[in-house]
Amino acid sequence: MTTDSGQDKFRRKALQVLDAQARILPYVHRLPAETVALPDAQGRILAGQVTSPHPYPHFRRSGMDGFAILSRDTAGCGANHPVLLEVVDEIPCGFLPSVPLTPGTAARIMTGAKVPDEADAVVMFEMTETVRQDGKTYIRLVREIEPGKNITPVGLELAAGEVILEPGRKLGAGEISVLATFGIDRVAVIKRPRIAIFSTGSELLAIGEPLQDGRIRNSNAYMLASQVKEVGAEPVVLEAIPDDLELARQRVRTAFADYDAVVTTGGVSVGDFDIMADLVSGGDVEMLFNKVTMRPGSVTTAAVKDGKLLFALSGNPGACFVGFELYVRPAIGRMLGVPQPFLPEVTAELARPYPKINNFTRYVRGRLEVREGKLYAYPAELDESSVMITIKDSDALIVIPPSSEPKEAGEMVTVLKLPGGSV
Amino acid sequence: MTTDSGQDKFRRKALQVLDAQARILPYVHRLPAETVALPDAQGRILAGQVTSPHPYPHFRRSGMDGFAILSRDTAGCGANHPVLLEVVDEIPCGFLPSVPLTPGTAARIMTGAKVPDEADAVVMFEMTETVRQDGKTYIRLVREIEPGKNITPVGLELAAGEVILEPGRKLGAGEISVLATFGIDRVAVIKRPRIAIFSTGSELLAIGEPLQDGRIRNSNAYMLASQVKEVGAEPVVLEAIPDDLELARQRVRTAFADYDAVVTTGGVSVGDFDIMADLVSGGDVEMLFNKVTMRPGSVTTAAVKDGKLLFALSGNPGACFVGFELYVRPAIGRMLGVPQPFLPEVTAELARPYPKINNFTRYVRGRLEVREGKLYAYPAELDESSVMITIKDSDALIVIPPSSEPKEAGEMVTVLKLPGGSV
């Protein structure tokens, strides 16, 4: 009889989740880079370090619409001792000063324009009064202006040669803004891993086929394809694997040659028709693990062939989903060179009791809520491994360690955040 | 002199952020739907309600590898009173029972296979012992099995006709899994809004041009394009608007005809060359607002022409970023029919002091951290409106209401979560 203590009739030795994850990573290698145009780099992963080719800002920039002045001209200035400065220049954004500023003069300047080298302050337009006299224009000031006022110094944000972005960084609006600022219009990103997805099982109907009694549609392949895309890789859904060991072996062999990794769903339970279990016990495949002390998905399997990874996930939607997130996600992340390829982990308060006890660690689908600065985790009502419907309403996996006691509301739990959640 | 109290030389009347947001939404209409293949629906927004065409599961499903039995056959069964049941059938996944089960018989059944109509329980394989006798196969049971054991009833997850997904829902792995399960291989999603992006300003260099003194590269257009994509719309970066009112008006007019909305960056400060301020004060454009009591981005402008929205955002990167997130994001979200188009709002504890005081509400770039179930907000060190570099390291906008007192660490603040954060 199989118990949760480790062995079963397929000689499965159960690993802890962290050990299973650790067994995978040595076999994952970062893929090569390719160069893409900056607008196409959205969501891609940076291949190399980027340093600033010049300081930013690269010129002394006015922070206000106003007048560039020599601050010492305002010494002793006050409501009763106004100062008049002659306006001798006008500097719109993108233009350079046309005359040097001398004491007693000022230059009209726009926000973002280059401050004349001689000026050491910009006074806001609204703090000045314009006076026209003898065909000349003056500004009248009634307070002292300190040196440096409203001038952004060269290099305030970045010096030349500073590291701006590290390899492995995902490119979003902020990163793209920086790259554009420094004129980097083509950027080296890691190639998208191409992941083959197989389903196995005679029960599977193609998604467009009419329903049949006792059979289900091949929804896991589409779910996995979506998960693969979300991590930044390219899914390729292949024809379902038939319950024929030789044919299956041949299909998977071809996929290993063509893709960066192979993910299968179905055929890894302890039933009699476990094509994947047979397949990965063949000669040219090295088994990494075929049982993990987790629910759902305890019979998740990983193997290596010719340096490439095969993940054989459960056919149960819930277990398949969790298996992907715990094992395939970090593998793809490493192929992309992401420094932290696992789901982000936070601590939250369990918002309602979780009564199930187990000697395996449970990854319970659930959702997070923030109230008054505190994070609460709500386990889904239906979290059986076979349940599909609660995946869409989950933005977290709540980690329930092995325990013989039900978890009470109010206890602190570790939570793995799923992508796309709003918390 | 301009003060923060509302009026300036451009007769700008400052609105509160919520009022400004409220002025935009009546002009936004949901775009029509288009039908895409399910694998292409990733990240798209569902156009119509989806109800389940059949219950799920649609047949009584075995939750275990084992034997389907009549539970009453095990009445009184125990270690000293074993029961033998003859195995008369074998039901792999996807196959139907081939003979009716009669009292005293059992059917070998796989996880996920259809349970024979006569059976009311499945006993785990590992709880049985196989006995061969007179050319027949029996299982030996040593405990009573309760009715319903290991059988997933029809409709456990969903009855027929239940609402599965509401319109406006973003499609991820969970949603795609559900749609595939119900055989929905083509799905109606809202068309991606097409958003025209203009930069204005003679200071702008194209991203590939060599650096010039006093000029900067057109990074905001790329940043905005990335933000537009992130919301699920299609950005089109158009040629920068020159500082020529008639030409600018013509360009924007053409863009209104061709795109669902127009976003500009630059030219909305109170300087003399404010092409956008002039443009939106023309006859055929209805101004919605041109000043908001916020920092950065107080001179953010929105206008309507021919029922389409124009957003004139600041040329300062920080202000441009925030202006997009507060005004353009919800407008695009509404075009997509998203029920909650604003950035998600949570409460967090301020993790370090924020000393700046202001009579406008500040949207301070920052990052969130969860420790021991509590959410902490860290304001960025550089949060001037002109600062570009901290955008990439921010996953939140910390809302600092108008106040004459510095905010202390430990105070609770409202935080708007930016996309892509890991918390």
Side-chain angles (χ1 to χ4, degrees):
Chain A
M1 180 177 147
T2 296
T3 67
D4 282 341
S5 63
Q7 296 278 341
D8 68 12
K9 66 182 175 123
F10 277 90
R11 297 177 192 282
R12 301 183 199 258
K13 171 91 177 61
L15 289 189
Q16 303 286 323
V17 170
L18 292 182
D19 296 335
Q21 289 173 331
R23 283 216 187 165
I24 292 167
L25 293 183
Y27 296 95
V28 191
H29 305 290
R30 208 183 78 153
L31 296 189
E34 62 185 347
T35 302
V36 298
L38 186 59
D40 300 328
Q42 174 96 349
R44 301 296 297 269
I45 306 296
L46 195 65
Q49 195 185 61
V50 177
T51 55
S52 46
H54 57 75
Y56 183 78
H58 68 284
F59 55 86
R60 289 198 313 154
R61 189 175 67 192
S62 175
M64 284 287 168
D65 285 308
F67 296 90
I69 63 167
L70 283 58
S71 66
R72 61 181 183 275
D73 282 344
T74 68
C77 176
N80 300 323
H81 301 281
V83 163
L84 281 188
L85 301 173
E86 187 188 347
V87 180
V88 295
D89 201 0
E90 177 166 313
I91 314 165
C93 273
F95 290 85
L96 298 179
S98 55
V99 294
L101 276 196
T102 52
T105 68
R108 180 83 179 92
I109 192 167
M110 304 303 134
T111 305
K114 179 177 167 153
V115 176
D117 291 342
E118 305 77 20
D120 69 346
V122 169
V123 54
M124 271 178 78
F125 184 85
E126 293 81 355
M127 287 178 61
T128 65
E129 196 183 313
T130 304
V131 179
R132 267 170 251 277
Q133 201 172 289
D134 308 330
K136 292 179 174 175
T137 303
Y138 297 85
I139 50 167
R140 189 167 170 273
L141 295 177
V142 293
R143 63 171 85 160
E144 287 193 3
I145 305 295
E146 64 263 45
K149 186 76 180 174
N150 295 323
I151 295 180
T152 306
V154 169
L156 171 78
E157 296 190 36
L158 285 169
E162 265 191 75
V163 173
I164 314 172
L165 297 168
E166 293 285 4
R169 178 105 181 194
K170 190 169 184 174
L171 302 177
E175 291 80 6
I176 284 173
S177 162
V178 175
L179 293 168
T181 296
F182 287 105
I184 299 164
D185 58 350
R186 294 183 63 72
V187 55
V189 296
I190 302 295
K191 282 193 173 177
R192 285 188 203 281
R194 297 180 70 232
I195 311 295
I197 299 171
F198 283 111
S199 320
T200 75
S202 312
E203 75 276 23
L204 296 180
L205 296 166
I207 177 178
E209 281 186 86
L211 204 59
Q212 290 177 26
D213 197 14
R215 301 184 70 184
I216 58 170
R217 294 197 184 87
N218 181 8
S219 62
N220 282 357
Y222 290 87
M223 180 180 73
L224 286 170
S226 172
Q227 289 175 285
V228 165
K229 276 187 206 163
E230 204 287 321
V231 190
E234 186 192 326
V236 182
V237 176
L238 298 171
E239 206 185 332
I241 292 182
D243 281 338
D244 171 329
L245 184 60
E246 210 27 68
L247 198 51
R249 191 167 279 155
Q250 200 178 304
R251 289 265 187 85
V252 171
R253 195 176 296 138
T254 308
F256 270 124
D258 294 348
Y259 300 96
D260 296 305
V262 175
V263 180
T264 70
T265 168
V268 292
S269 77
V270 290
D272 289 354
F273 294 87
D274 284 337
I275 206 85
M276 293 315 301
D278 291 330
L279 199 145
V280 299
S281 56
D284 52 352
V285 176
E286 182 191 347
M287 170 83 76
L288 298 178
F289 55 83
N290 63 1
K291 186 158 189 173
V292 191
T293 59
M294 63 183 269
R295 299 251 183 259
S298 64
V299 289
T300 299
T301 292
V304 182
K305 184 182 146 60
D306 304 336
K308 286 185 181 169
L309 283 162
L310 167 75
F311 298 92
L313 307 179
S314 169
N316 274 327
C320 180
F321 180 83
V322 170
F324 180 93
E325 293 298 330
L326 294 184
Y327 306 106
V328 189
R329 167 182 288 277
I332 294 176
R334 276 292 166 90
M335 290 181 203
L336 288 165
V338 169
Q340 209 293 54
F342 298 97
L343 288 174
E345 195 175 308
V346 296
T347 307
E349 185 177 316
L350 197 63
R352 53 177 175 236
Y354 185 79
K356 280 189 205 166
I357 57 171
N358 208 293
N359 51 358
F360 279 8
T361 303
R362 271 190 190 271
Y363 291 81
V364 180
R365 279 155 275 171
R367 84 198 147 68
L368 288 172
E369 232 179 77
V370 179
R371 287 197 306 273
E372 292 304 307
K374 285 182 68 183
L375 205 54
Y376 296 89
Y378 291 81
E381 304 279 355
L382 286 174
D383 78 313
E384 312 297 331
S385 81
S386 61
V387 163
M388 169 273 304
I389 193 73
T390 51
I391 297 172
K392 70 179 170 62
D393 301 315
S394 302
D395 58 9
L397 296 175
I398 304 168
V399 185
I400 306 286
S403 163
S404 50
E405 301 283 325
K407 276 269 182 202
E408 302 296 339
E411 289 189 54
M412 297 306 284
V413 286
T414 296
V415 169
L416 307 180
K417 282 184 45 64
L418 294 168
S422 70
V423 169
Chain B
M1 180 179 146
T2 297
T3 67
D4 283 339
S5 62
Q7 296 277 340
D8 69 14
K9 65 177 177 132
F10 277 91
R11 299 177 191 279
R12 301 182 199 258
K13 170 94 178 61
L15 288 190
Q16 303 287 322
V17 170
L18 292 181
D19 295 334
Q21 288 174 330
R23 281 216 189 166
I24 291 168
L25 294 183
Y27 295 95
V28 192
H29 305 291
R30 207 184 79 155
L31 296 188
E34 62 184 348
T35 302
V36 298
L38 187 59
D40 301 328
Q42 174 96 349
R44 300 296 297 269
I45 306 296
L46 195 65
Q49 194 184 62
V50 177
T51 55
S52 46
H54 56 75
Y56 183 80
H58 68 283
F59 54 86
R60 289 200 311 157
R61 190 176 66 192
S62 176
M64 284 287 168
D65 285 307
F67 296 89
I69 64 166
L70 284 59
S71 64
R72 63 181 182 273
D73 281 345
T74 68
C77 176
N80 300 323
H81 302 280
V83 163
L84 281 187
L85 300 174
E86 187 188 346
V87 180
V88 296
D89 201 359
E90 178 165 310
I91 314 165
C93 273
F95 291 84
L96 298 179
S98 57
V99 294
L101 276 196
T102 53
T105 67
R108 180 82 179 92
I109 192 166
M110 304 304 135
T111 305
K114 178 177 169 153
V115 176
D117 292 342
E118 305 77 20
D120 69 347
V122 169
V123 55
M124 272 178 78
F125 185 86
E126 292 82 354
M127 287 178 61
T128 65
E129 195 182 313
T130 304
V131 180
R132 268 169 248 276
Q133 201 173 289
D134 307 331
K136 292 178 174 174
T137 303
Y138 297 85
I139 50 168
R140 189 167 171 274
L141 296 178
V142 292
R143 63 171 86 161
E144 287 195 2
I145 305 295
E146 64 263 46
K149 186 77 183 172
N150 295 323
I151 295 180
T152 306
V154 170
L156 172 78
E157 296 189 37
L158 284 170
E162 264 190 76
V163 173
I164 315 171
L165 296 169
E166 292 285 4
R169 178 107 182 190
K170 190 170 183 174
L171 302 176
E175 290 81 6
I176 284 172
S177 161
V178 175
L179 293 168
T181 296
F182 288 106
I184 300 164
D185 57 350
R186 294 183 62 74
V187 54
V189 296
I190 303 295
K191 282 192 174 180
R192 285 188 203 281
R194 298 180 70 232
I195 311 295
I197 299 171
F198 284 111
S199 320
T200 75
S202 312
E203 75 276 23
L204 297 179
L205 295 167
I207 177 177
E209 280 186 86
L211 204 58
Q212 290 176 27
D213 196 15
R215 302 183 68 184
I216 59 169
R217 293 198 185 87
N218 181 9
S219 62
N220 282 358
Y222 289 88
M223 179 180 75
L224 286 170
S226 172
Q227 289 176 286
V228 165
K229 274 188 207 162
E230 204 288 320
V231 190
E234 187 192 324
V236 181
V237 176
L238 299 172
E239 207 186 331
I241 291 183
D243 281 339
D244 171 328
L245 184 60
E246 211 24 70
L247 198 52
R249 190 167 281 156
Q250 201 177 304
R251 289 264 188 85
V252 172
R253 195 176 295 138
T254 308
F256 270 123
D258 294 349
Y259 299 97
D260 296 306
V262 174
V263 180
T264 71
T265 168
V268 292
S269 77
V270 289
D272 289 351
F273 294 88
D274 284 338
I275 205 84
M276 294 314 302
D278 291 330
L279 199 144
V280 298
S281 56
D284 52 352
V285 176
E286 182 190 348
M287 169 83 77
L288 298 177
F289 55 83
N290 64 359
K291 186 158 189 174
V292 191
T293 59
M294 61 183 270
R295 299 252 184 260
S298 64
V299 289
T300 300
T301 293
V304 183
K305 183 183 145 60
D306 303 337
K308 287 184 180 168
L309 283 162
L310 167 74
F311 298 92
L313 307 179
S314 169
N316 274 326
C320 179
F321 180 84
V322 169
F324 180 93
E325 293 298 332
L326 294 184
Y327 305 106
V328 189
R329 167 182 288 277
I332 294 176
R334 275 292 165 91
M335 290 181 203
L336 287 165
V338 170
Q340 210 293 54
F342 299 96
L343 289 174
E345 193 176 309
V346 296
T347 308
E349 185 178 316
L350 197 62
R352 53 177 174 237
Y354 185 78
K356 281 190 206 165
I357 58 171
N358 208 294
N359 52 357
F360 279 8
T361 303
R362 272 189 190 271
Y363 292 82
V364 180
R365 280 156 274 171
R367 82 198 151 67
L368 288 172
E369 232 178 77
V370 179
R371 288 197 305 274
E372 292 305 308
K374 284 183 69 184
L375 205 54
Y376 297 89
Y378 290 81
E381 303 281 353
L382 286 175
D383 79 313
E384 312 298 329
S385 81
S386 61
V387 163
M388 169 274 304
I389 193 73
T390 51
I391 298 172
K392 70 179 170 61
D393 301 315
S394 302
D395 58 10
L397 296 174
I398 305 168
V399 185
I400 307 285
S403 163
S404 51
E405 302 282 325
K407 276 267 180 200
E408 302 296 340
E411 290 189 52
M412 298 306 283
V413 286
T414 296
V415 169
L416 307 180
K417 284 186 42 66
L418 294 169
S422 70
V423 169

